[in-house]
Amino acid sequence: MKIKVRARLAAWVLAVASAAGCGGGAGEGGAEEATSSPTGLAPARTAPGAVLFDDASALRPFRQGAVWRYRGEQVPQTGAFPVRYETLTTHASAHASGVEEHTSNAANAAEPELVQVVHAGGDIFSDASLDFSGKGEPGRVRFVELRSPVRAGDLYTIVDRRLTDTNIDVDGDRQPDTLDLAIHVRVLGLETVALPNLPPMESVRTQMLIQSRVIPSSTRVPGPIVAGRVDTWYAPGVGVVRRTSRMPAVGLGEETIEEQLVSWNGITSGVGAMSPQALTIPASSPVFPGHGLPPLTWPLAFGFDTHALVVTHQPRDTSGPYWLSGLVSKVDLSGRVVHSKPIPGYMNDVRQRVWPYRHGLVMQTPVPNEPMQIALTRFDTEGTAIGSVTHNLTGAHDVNLGLAVEGAVDEDGTVWLLFTRDFRDMPKSFEKELVLRAYGPDGAERFPEMLVQTGLPWGSNPGHAIAVARGRAVMSWRGGPAGSDVFIGSAGLNEAPQVKLLAAGSPGSASAVTPLRLGATSALIWQAPPGGLSLGASGGVLIDEAFEMKRAGSDWLAEQLPGVPSFSMTPPANRGPRIAISTTTVGRLWPDDSWDSRIDVVAWVDAGTRALALEPGRSVRFPATEMGGHAVFADRVLVFGQQYGKLTSTIVWTPPARP
């Protein structure tokens, strides 16, 4: 990002000097000539403070192919309407000691800028040839941005120069006037930058002070000092995240410019949301070459260490018997399809019936004409089907009427099934029970079925859910006489379930309680009242190994996660201790927007040892993509949406998890 200080500096100095009878200037970097003399404009020097960064390059990374996107606002002069614009900064031919930096529209100049930025001798700098005298005799100016070690309070002298041979003549005596020009940069210290749609970033702030004055030849009395300033915020590992300038306007008052980071694609890391891209099967694929993946009808995207698997219907339009045949596609971390593989058989309704684990996926499909049986098909991490086993979930009742299954898979491949079973034992009426079973990778039952809760209201939807890790399951469901109480349960292999009442008579908005296994501990994440069109907040608690909740207060509805919005169709997911939520809302993406729009939000919280409500939540907001699922990774979330009837992927970069 550049506010075009370099290219505009000399012209600005001369124009302001001629118009106002005094000089002005702005710039970065410079070397005094031997004939120059002090101007007396240097700021007071103080002893540098603490070292903020040993190496300045940590604040100004060079990375070939990296792209910074900024949103700018320019007010050309006092009282003028603001002009908003966008600019891109791209790194080409980057190496450890330098980079060719292209900026497309710095300061809304409608023309590109090319600067060679160098890292040498511990300094980050670039050189330019500028003519301050107006005589067509430019000199080299070195623009120093940062100096190693970066110390709070440090002052860099960029220019401190008295120019006696100039083309300036403010008094009209046809004799050259003298121009004093001083440019200094001071490191102000560490600040937290809060940008509208990005998580807060700790940054180093510098302030460049530009001062100038003209000394007319006829009076030799120095004119008033004209000053401007440029403030820059550098985030470690990212670079410039914000820059503002205030300069005297040649016309009236002052010109103000602000540019702030929208996103950064650093290839292997980044900040914010990238542009959505269509998911297209490679042209070399043996199946559906060049076809776009159809949109997800339900969140069926699952993250592994190096990629995601996405389950969709096959991308063809036909009225034949296979129009609902399935497809599993491998999507890499850049959001592109690597390959796609057909799913054997007929996919009627796969909602909430595909479960990931360390070694792949398990898909549950119905068995035709057998309401009490299900088939479990396993897929490896490449999406290849590796076998299917049919299980009979009939209970010891007079009449077994049907079931609804929620499942999860442990790291070792054990499939845990939590399901409700509808039945009737004569002469009683119809009943419903919640049951837990587990099957090994070979299909063998790991333990006799466990009755988790009986007496569920007939015809009710208990909204049950389960998560497992390290041989232990955590469950949630709605039950009680009226079906409005929220329960949680925990069970291990050959260990009777523990059941606790989480909330009695909870509102419908809190019905979606999602259990997550974070390793040795677990978490419960639930929806909080959304409050109209604006985002509400999600709630959540940690559960330790003793099945005790870590709470911040006594009211579970008050256990809201700061900065983490309520979720809707896409359920929460986690990668280790990081819990991520993706949702869509309506509001203003930018504070100065004139109207509301649909906005996608990816928010996350990193679980530690204290209550979740005490952990800071962070989020990224971006234009809506008709979100249909997400996959969570250590440094990013892949959000799956749709455009023009095709599935898309959007990379949302997230900071590394807390160590």
Side-chain angles (χ1 to χ4, degrees):
M1 176 179 66
K2 301 279 186 298
I3 292 174
K4 298 190 72 171
V5 169
R6 297 164 175 77
R8 302 168 66 191
L9 176 56
W12 178 83
V13 168
L14 294 171
V16 172
S18 299
C22 58
E28 290 183 58
E32 291 187 39
E33 299 175 2
T35 58
S36 65
S37 60
T39 63
L41 298 178
R45 286 189 177 273
T46 58
V51 173
L52 306 178
F53 286 88
D54 292 326
D55 189 346
S57 65
L59 298 168
R60 197 68 160 85
F62 298 163
R63 191 166 298 178
Q64 186 165 334
V67 178
W68 291 256
R69 183 183 298 273
Y70 299 95
R71 186 179 191 263
E73 179 179 280
Q74 176 193 28
V75 180
Q77 61 185 32
T78 302
F81 288 105
V83 179
R84 298 179 181 92
Y85 62 94
E86 188 173 90
T87 180
L88 299 177
T89 294
T90 305
H91 279 184
S93 305
H95 46 83
S97 60
V99 67
E100 187 177 87
E101 190 169 79
H102 298 258
T103 300
S104 64
N105 184 31
N108 202 30
E111 61 182 23
E113 182 181 48
L114 173 61
V115 176
Q116 298 289 337
V117 185
V118 179
H119 179 210
D123 290 358
I124 304 292
F125 65 88
S126 59
D127 291 338
S129 182
L130 298 177
D131 176 19
F132 291 119
S133 68
K135 299 188 66 175
E137 300 173 356
R140 183 178 68 90
V141 179
R142 174 154 291 180
F143 293 86
V144 176
E145 296 185 46
L146 296 163
R147 178 164 291 155
S148 303
V150 181
R151 302 175 69 104
D154 208 354
L155 184 70
Y156 313 150
T157 298
I158 307 304
V159 171
D160 190 353
R161 185 178 305 173
R162 174 163 287 177
L163 304 172
T164 57
D165 186 13
T166 73
N167 199 33
I168 301 172
D169 184 14
V170 299
D171 55 6
D173 65 353
R174 298 187 179 182
Q175 298 297 316
D177 295 334
T178 297
L179 173 67
D180 283 345
L181 177 65
I183 305 173
H184 295 80
V185 173
R186 190 183 295 277
V187 180
L188 298 184
L190 289 173
E191 294 185 6
T192 298
V193 177
L195 300 177
N197 299 305
L198 299 176
M201 288 178 278
E202 188 175 67
S203 305
V204 171
R205 181 183 178 183
T206 66
Q207 185 175 91
M208 180 167 58
L209 179 64
I210 307 104
Q211 301 178 93
S212 64
R213 66 185 172 195
V214 169
I215 304 175
S217 59
S218 59
T219 65
R220 308 309 301 167
V221 176
I225 297 172
V226 178
R229 76 182 196 194
V230 178
D231 290 73
T232 306
W233 288 260
Y234 300 87
V238 178
V240 178
V241 296
R242 185 180 180 223
R243 181 172 280 157
T244 63
S245 75
R246 303 179 71 91
M247 298 287 186
V250 175
L252 177 67
E254 68 176 8
E255 177 193 53
T256 62
I257 297 174
E258 178 175 10
E259 292 179 353
Q260 53 188 347
L261 185 68
V262 176
S263 64
W264 170 53
N265 184 359
I267 313 301
T268 58
S269 60
V271 173
M274 304 296 100
S275 299
Q277 56 185 329
L279 284 170
T280 303
I281 300 173
S284 59
S285 172
V287 296
F288 312 112
H291 283 251
L293 294 183
L296 297 175
T297 57
W298 197 259
L300 290 172
F302 310 100
F304 296 88
D305 289 338
T306 60
H307 64 278
L309 290 180
V310 181
V311 179
T312 66
H313 296 304
Q314 294 182 4
R316 58 181 175 181
D317 183 15
T318 174
S319 58
Y322 300 106
W323 72 277
L324 282 180
S325 295
L327 192 74
V328 57
S329 299
K330 179 181 178 180
V331 178
D332 64 21
L333 293 179
S334 65
R336 296 184 178 91
V337 178
V338 178
H339 60 240
S340 298
K341 299 182 179 183
I343 297 174
Y346 178 76
M347 265 176 49
N348 183 25
D349 183 5
V350 295
R351 290 184 305 172
Q352 296 184 320
R353 293 185 180 134
V354 181
W355 312 299
Y357 72 115
R358 185 170 55 186
H359 303 298
L361 302 176
V362 174
M363 175 182 292
Q364 178 236 320
T365 56
V367 178
N369 303 316
E370 294 292 344
M372 301 306 297
Q373 295 184 18
I374 62 170
L376 298 179
T377 302
R378 292 177 181 269
F379 299 81
D380 63 19
T381 56
E382 296 295 308
T384 302
I386 54 177
S388 181
V389 178
T390 298
H391 300 284
N392 191 326
L393 304 184
T394 301
H397 303 290
D398 292 339
V399 181
N400 289 274
L401 299 169
L403 51 88
V405 178
E406 181 63 67
V409 188
D410 206 349
E411 294 97 333
D412 64 356
T414 298
V415 181
W416 295 65
L417 296 177
L418 180 67
F419 61 96
T420 57
R421 186 163 51 207
D422 297 330
F423 65 93
R424 186 177 186 184
D425 287 330
M426 302 301 183
K428 297 180 181 179
S429 183
F430 299 107
E431 298 180 72
K432 184 188 292 284
E433 59 190 357
L434 188 64
V435 183
L436 182 66
R437 287 191 183 185
Y439 297 94
D442 57 356
E445 196 169 49
R446 297 295 302 272
F447 55 77
E449 75 170 32
M450 301 178 184
L451 286 179
V452 179
Q453 193 171 68
T454 60
L456 297 174
W458 172 259
S460 67
N461 179 10
H464 53 296
I466 182 172
V468 296
R470 301 184 182 183
R472 176 163 292 278
V474 59
M475 304 160 280
S476 65
W477 68 95
R478 294 176 68 87
S484 59
D485 301 333
V486 178
F487 293 88
I488 57 174
S490 176
L493 293 173
N494 296 312
E495 178 185 307
Q498 302 179 62
V499 175
K500 290 185 177 181
L501 176 66
L502 183 65
S506 65
S509 58
S511 62
V513 179
T514 302
L516 299 172
R517 286 287 283 162
L518 312 179
T521 60
S522 304
L524 294 173
I525 308 297
W526 57 78
Q527 292 172 333
L533 293 178
S534 63
L535 282 176
S538 291
V541 293
L542 284 180
I543 302 176
D544 62 21
E545 293 182 87
F547 200 48
E548 296 294 333
M549 288 182 286
K550 296 183 179 181
R551 305 279 295 271
S554 59
D555 182 358
W556 77 276
L557 286 175
E559 300 284 333
Q560 294 189 357
L561 307 182
V564 179
S566 180
F567 56 95
S568 52
M569 189 177 78
T570 302
N574 71 292
R575 169 70 53 171
R578 169 156 295 180
I579 301 169
I581 288 171
S582 302
T583 192
T584 302
T585 184
V586 175
R588 299 190 180 187
L589 186 64
W590 298 97
D592 52 33
D593 282 348
S594 299
W595 53 80
D596 290 346
S597 61
R598 288 172 56 80
I599 300 169
D600 282 349
V601 183
V602 172
W604 64 96
V605 61
D606 292 326
T609 58
R610 57 182 181 172
L612 285 179
L614 301 178
E615 302 290 353
R618 292 169 286 174
S619 65
V620 171
R621 304 181 345 138
F622 52 100
T625 61
E626 301 298 327
M627 186 185 297
H630 63 184
V632 181
F633 302 93
D635 63 348
R636 73 197 77 182
V637 175
L638 282 183
V639 173
F640 297 95
Q642 61 173 301
Q643 285 184 342
Y644 310 112
K646 293 185 178 180
L647 189 65
T648 62
S649 65
T650 299
I651 299 173
V652 180
W653 294 101
T654 60
R658 182 184 55 210

Short mmCIF file of all heavy atoms in Angstrom, two decimals, residues 435-472:
data_model
loop_
_atom_site.label_atom_id
_atom_site.label_comp_id
_atom_site.label_asym_id
_atom_site.label_seq_id
_atom_site.Cartn_x
_atom_site.Cartn_y
_atom_site.Cartn_z
N VAL A 435 -30.92 -44.06 22.10
CA VAL A 435 -30.09 -45.25 22.22
C VAL A 435 -28.68 -44.94 21.71
O VAL A 435 -28.49 -44.15 20.79
CB VAL A 435 -30.69 -46.41 21.41
CG1 VAL A 435 -29.86 -47.69 21.58
CG2 VAL A 435 -32.14 -46.65 21.82
N LEU A 436 -27.67 -45.58 22.31
CA LEU A 436 -26.28 -45.44 21.90
C LEU A 436 -25.70 -46.81 21.56
O LEU A 436 -25.83 -47.75 22.34
CB LEU A 436 -25.46 -44.78 23.02
CG LEU A 436 -23.97 -44.52 22.72
CD1 LEU A 436 -23.82 -43.48 21.62
CD2 LEU A 436 -23.26 -44.05 24.00
N ARG A 437 -25.09 -46.92 20.40
CA ARG A 437 -24.36 -48.13 20.02
C ARG A 437 -23.01 -47.73 19.42
O ARG A 437 -22.81 -46.58 19.01
CB ARG A 437 -25.14 -48.94 18.97
CG ARG A 437 -26.36 -49.67 19.51
CD ARG A 437 -26.88 -50.66 18.47
NE ARG A 437 -28.09 -51.35 18.91
CZ ARG A 437 -28.68 -52.32 18.21
NH1 ARG A 437 -28.18 -52.70 17.05
NH2 ARG A 437 -29.77 -52.90 18.68
N ALA A 438 -22.09 -48.70 19.34
CA ALA A 438 -20.78 -48.46 18.74
C ALA A 438 -20.34 -49.70 17.98
O ALA A 438 -20.53 -50.83 18.45
CB ALA A 438 -19.74 -48.09 19.79
N TYR A 439 -19.75 -49.48 16.80
CA TYR A 439 -19.29 -50.57 15.94
C TYR A 439 -17.84 -50.31 15.54
O TYR A 439 -17.46 -49.19 15.19
CB TYR A 439 -20.14 -50.66 14.67
CG TYR A 439 -21.59 -50.98 14.94
CD1 TYR A 439 -22.54 -49.95 15.08
CD2 TYR A 439 -22.03 -52.29 15.07
CE1 TYR A 439 -23.88 -50.24 15.33
CE2 TYR A 439 -23.37 -52.58 15.33
CZ TYR A 439 -24.28 -51.55 15.45
OH TYR A 439 -25.60 -51.83 15.71
N GLY A 440 -17.02 -51.35 15.61
CA GLY A 440 -15.63 -51.25 15.21
C GLY A 440 -15.46 -51.14 13.71
O GLY A 440 -16.43 -51.31 12.95
N PRO A 441 -14.24 -50.86 13.24
CA PRO A 441 -13.99 -50.76 11.80
C PRO A 441 -14.37 -52.02 11.04
O PRO A 441 -14.68 -51.96 9.84
CB PRO A 441 -12.48 -50.49 11.72
CG PRO A 441 -12.14 -49.88 13.04
CD PRO A 441 -13.04 -50.54 14.04
N ASP A 442 -14.36 -53.17 11.73
CA ASP A 442 -14.74 -54.42 11.07
C ASP A 442 -16.24 -54.66 11.09
O ASP A 442 -16.73 -55.69 10.61
CB ASP A 442 -14.03 -55.59 11.75
CG ASP A 442 -14.34 -55.68 13.25
OD1 ASP A 442 -15.05 -54.78 13.78
OD2 ASP A 442 -13.87 -56.64 13.89
N GLY A 443 -17.01 -53.74 11.69
CA GLY A 443 -18.46 -53.89 11.74
C GLY A 443 -18.96 -54.58 12.98
O GLY A 443 -20.17 -54.67 13.20
N ALA A 444 -18.03 -55.08 13.83
CA ALA A 444 -18.45 -55.79 15.04
C ALA A 444 -18.92 -54.79 16.10
O ALA A 444 -18.36 -53.70 16.25
CB ALA A 444 -17.29 -56.62 15.59
N GLU A 445 -19.95 -55.18 16.86
CA GLU A 445 -20.47 -54.32 17.91
C GLU A 445 -19.46 -54.24 19.06
O GLU A 445 -18.97 -55.25 19.54
CB GLU A 445 -21.80 -54.87 18.41
CG GLU A 445 -22.61 -53.88 19.21
CD GLU A 445 -24.04 -54.38 19.47
OE1 GLU A 445 -24.17 -55.55 19.90
OE2 GLU A 445 -24.98 -53.62 19.22
N ARG A 446 -19.15 -53.01 19.49
CA ARG A 446 -18.14 -52.82 20.52
C ARG A 446 -18.70 -53.03 21.91
O ARG A 446 -17.97 -53.38 22.84
CB ARG A 446 -17.55 -51.41 20.42
CG ARG A 446 -16.80 -51.14 19.12
CD ARG A 446 -15.56 -52.01 18.99
NE ARG A 446 -14.63 -51.82 20.08
CZ ARG A 446 -13.67 -50.90 20.11
NH1 ARG A 446 -13.52 -50.09 19.08
NH2 ARG A 446 -12.86 -50.80 21.14
N PHE A 447 -19.99 -52.77 22.13
CA PHE A 447 -20.63 -53.02 23.42
C PHE A 447 -22.12 -53.14 23.19
O PHE A 447 -22.65 -52.67 22.17
CB PHE A 447 -20.31 -51.91 24.42
CG PHE A 447 -20.65 -50.51 23.95
CD1 PHE A 447 -21.96 -50.04 23.94
CD2 PHE A 447 -19.65 -49.67 23.52
CE1 PHE A 447 -22.26 -48.77 23.52
CE2 PHE A 447 -19.94 -48.38 23.09
CZ PHE A 447 -21.25 -47.93 23.08
N PRO A 448 -22.85 -53.80 24.10
CA PRO A 448 -24.31 -53.88 23.96
C PRO A 448 -24.90 -52.48 23.97
O PRO A 448 -24.37 -51.55 24.57
CB PRO A 448 -24.74 -54.68 25.19
CG PRO A 448 -23.52 -55.41 25.63
CD PRO A 448 -22.37 -54.53 25.28
N GLU A 449 -26.04 -52.34 23.28
CA GLU A 449 -26.62 -51.00 23.18
C GLU A 449 -26.95 -50.43 24.56
O GLU A 449 -27.30 -51.16 25.50
CB GLU A 449 -27.86 -51.02 22.29
CG GLU A 449 -29.10 -51.60 22.90
CD GLU A 449 -30.32 -51.35 22.02
OE1 GLU A 449 -30.19 -51.28 20.79
OE2 GLU A 449 -31.43 -51.23 22.58
N MET A 450 -26.80 -49.11 24.69
CA MET A 450 -27.09 -48.40 25.92
C MET A 450 -28.33 -47.53 25.73
O MET A 450 -28.43 -46.80 24.74
CB MET A 450 -25.92 -47.49 26.32
CG MET A 450 -24.59 -48.18 26.53
SD MET A 450 -23.31 -46.94 26.94
CE MET A 450 -21.86 -47.98 27.00
N LEU A 451 -29.27 -47.64 26.66
CA LEU A 451 -30.42 -46.73 26.67
C LEU A 451 -29.99 -45.45 27.37
O LEU A 451 -29.71 -45.44 28.57
CB LEU A 451 -31.61 -47.37 27.37
CG LEU A 451 -32.34 -48.47 26.61
CD1 LEU A 451 -33.48 -49.03 27.46
CD2 LEU A 451 -32.87 -47.95 25.29
N VAL A 452 -29.93 -44.37 26.62
CA VAL A 452 -29.52 -43.09 27.18
C VAL A 452 -30.67 -42.42 27.90
O VAL A 452 -30.53 -41.91 29.01
CB VAL A 452 -28.96 -42.17 26.07
CG1 VAL A 452 -28.55 -40.82 26.64
CG2 VAL A 452 -27.78 -42.85 25.37
N GLN A 453 -31.87 -42.44 27.28
CA GLN A 453 -33.05 -41.85 27.92
C GLN A 453 -34.29 -42.47 27.29
O GLN A 453 -34.35 -42.67 26.07
CB GLN A 453 -33.07 -40.33 27.75
CG GLN A 453 -34.12 -39.64 28.65
CD GLN A 453 -33.97 -38.13 28.62
OE1 GLN A 453 -34.23 -37.50 27.61
NE2 GLN A 453 -33.56 -37.55 29.76
N THR A 454 -35.26 -42.78 28.13
CA THR A 454 -36.54 -43.31 27.66
C THR A 454 -37.64 -42.28 27.93
O THR A 454 -37.42 -41.29 28.62
CB THR A 454 -36.86 -44.63 28.37
OG1 THR A 454 -36.95 -44.39 29.78
CG2 THR A 454 -35.79 -45.68 28.09
N GLY A 455 -38.81 -42.56 27.38
CA GLY A 455 -39.96 -41.70 27.64
C GLY A 455 -39.93 -40.38 26.90
O GLY A 455 -40.58 -39.41 27.32
N LEU A 456 -39.21 -40.30 25.80
CA LEU A 456 -39.24 -39.08 24.99
C LEU A 456 -40.62 -38.92 24.37
O LEU A 456 -41.26 -39.92 23.99
CB LEU A 456 -38.17 -39.14 23.90
CG LEU A 456 -36.71 -39.21 24.36
CD1 LEU A 456 -35.79 -39.40 23.17
CD2 LEU A 456 -36.34 -37.95 25.12
N PRO A 457 -41.11 -37.70 24.24
CA PRO A 457 -42.47 -37.50 23.69
C PRO A 457 -42.58 -38.08 22.29
O PRO A 457 -41.73 -37.84 21.43
CB PRO A 457 -42.63 -35.98 23.69
CG PRO A 457 -41.65 -35.49 24.70
CD PRO A 457 -40.50 -36.43 24.64
N TRP A 458 -43.64 -38.82 22.07
CA TRP A 458 -43.90 -39.39 20.74
C TRP A 458 -44.11 -38.25 19.74
O TRP A 458 -44.80 -37.28 20.00
CB TRP A 458 -45.12 -40.29 20.79
CG TRP A 458 -45.55 -40.76 19.43
CD1 TRP A 458 -46.57 -40.27 18.67
CD2 TRP A 458 -44.95 -41.80 18.67
NE1 TRP A 458 -46.64 -40.93 17.49
CE2 TRP A 458 -45.67 -41.89 17.46
CE3 TRP A 458 -43.88 -42.68 18.90
CZ2 TRP A 458 -45.35 -42.81 16.47
CZ3 TRP A 458 -43.57 -43.60 17.92
CH2 TRP A 458 -44.30 -43.66 16.72
N GLY A 459 -43.49 -38.39 18.58
CA GLY A 459 -43.64 -37.38 17.55
C GLY A 459 -42.74 -36.18 17.70
O GLY A 459 -42.75 -35.28 16.87
N SER A 460 -41.94 -36.13 18.79
CA SER A 460 -41.06 -34.99 18.99
C SER A 460 -39.76 -35.18 18.20
O SER A 460 -39.39 -36.29 17.82
CB SER A 460 -40.73 -34.82 20.47
OG SER A 460 -39.95 -35.93 20.93
N ASN A 461 -39.08 -34.06 17.94
CA ASN A 461 -37.76 -34.10 17.31
C ASN A 461 -36.74 -33.70 18.36
O ASN A 461 -36.62 -32.52 18.69
CB ASN A 461 -37.70 -33.14 16.13
CG ASN A 461 -36.33 -33.14 15.47
OD1 ASN A 461 -35.47 -33.96 15.77
ND2 ASN A 461 -36.12 -32.19 14.57
N PRO A 462 -36.00 -34.65 18.90
CA PRO A 462 -35.11 -34.34 20.01
C PRO A 462 -33.85 -33.57 19.62
O PRO A 462 -33.11 -33.14 20.50
CB PRO A 462 -34.75 -35.71 20.57
CG PRO A 462 -34.85 -36.63 19.40
CD PRO A 462 -35.99 -36.09 18.56
N GLY A 463 -33.61 -33.37 18.31
CA GLY A 463 -32.43 -32.62 17.90
C GLY A 463 -31.15 -33.17 18.49
O GLY A 463 -30.28 -32.42 18.92
N HIS A 464 -30.99 -34.49 18.50
CA HIS A 464 -29.86 -35.10 19.16
C HIS A 464 -28.58 -34.94 18.33
O HIS A 464 -28.62 -34.82 17.11
CB HIS A 464 -30.14 -36.57 19.45
CG HIS A 464 -30.57 -37.36 18.26
ND1 HIS A 464 -31.75 -37.12 17.59
CD2 HIS A 464 -30.00 -38.41 17.62
CE1 HIS A 464 -31.88 -37.97 16.59
NE2 HIS A 464 -30.83 -38.77 16.59
N ALA A 465 -27.44 -34.92 19.03
CA ALA A 465 -26.15 -34.77 18.38
C ALA A 465 -25.10 -35.47 19.23
O ALA A 465 -25.27 -35.66 20.44
CB ALA A 465 -25.80 -33.30 18.22
N ILE A 466 -23.99 -35.85 18.59
CA ILE A 466 -22.94 -36.60 19.29
C ILE A 466 -21.59 -36.24 18.70
O ILE A 466 -21.47 -35.93 17.51
CB ILE A 466 -23.19 -38.13 19.18
CG1 ILE A 466 -22.12 -38.91 19.95
CG2 ILE A 466 -23.25 -38.57 17.72
CD1 ILE A 466 -22.41 -40.40 20.04
N ALA A 467 -20.56 -36.24 19.54
CA ALA A 467 -19.17 -36.08 19.11
C ALA A 467 -18.33 -37.04 19.94
O ALA A 467 -18.63 -37.30 21.11
CB ALA A 467 -18.69 -34.65 19.31
N VAL A 468 -17.28 -37.60 19.33
CA VAL A 468 -16.45 -38.56 20.05
C VAL A 468 -14.98 -38.25 19.82
O VAL A 468 -14.60 -37.66 18.80
CB VAL A 468 -16.74 -40.01 19.62
CG1 VAL A 468 -18.14 -40.42 19.98
CG2 VAL A 468 -16.47 -40.20 18.13
N ALA A 469 -14.15 -38.65 20.77
CA ALA A 469 -12.69 -38.60 20.65
C ALA A 469 -12.12 -39.37 21.82
O ALA A 469 -12.68 -39.37 22.93
CB ALA A 469 -12.17 -37.16 20.66
N ARG A 470 -11.03 -40.09 21.56
CA ARG A 470 -10.32 -40.83 22.60
C ARG A 470 -11.22 -41.80 23.34
O ARG A 470 -11.17 -41.94 24.56
CB ARG A 470 -9.65 -39.87 23.58
CG ARG A 470 -8.65 -38.93 22.92
CD ARG A 470 -7.93 -38.07 23.94
NE ARG A 470 -7.01 -37.15 23.29
CZ ARG A 470 -6.20 -36.32 23.94
NH1 ARG A 470 -6.22 -36.29 25.27
NH2 ARG A 470 -5.41 -35.51 23.28
N GLY A 471 -12.11 -42.46 22.60
CA GLY A 471 -12.95 -43.49 23.19
C GLY A 471 -14.06 -42.98 24.08
O GLY A 471 -14.63 -43.76 24.86
N ARG A 472 -14.41 -41.71 23.99
CA ARG A 472 -15.48 -41.15 24.82
C ARG A 472 -16.38 -40.30 23.95
O ARG A 472 -15.91 -39.53 23.10
CB ARG A 472 -14.91 -40.35 25.97
CG ARG A 472 -15.96 -39.65 26.82
CD ARG A 472 -15.40 -39.22 28.16
NE ARG A 472 -15.09 -40.39 28.98
CZ ARG A 472 -15.99 -41.05 29.70
NH1 ARG A 472 -17.26 -40.66 29.73
NH2 ARG A 472 -15.65 -42.10 30.41
#
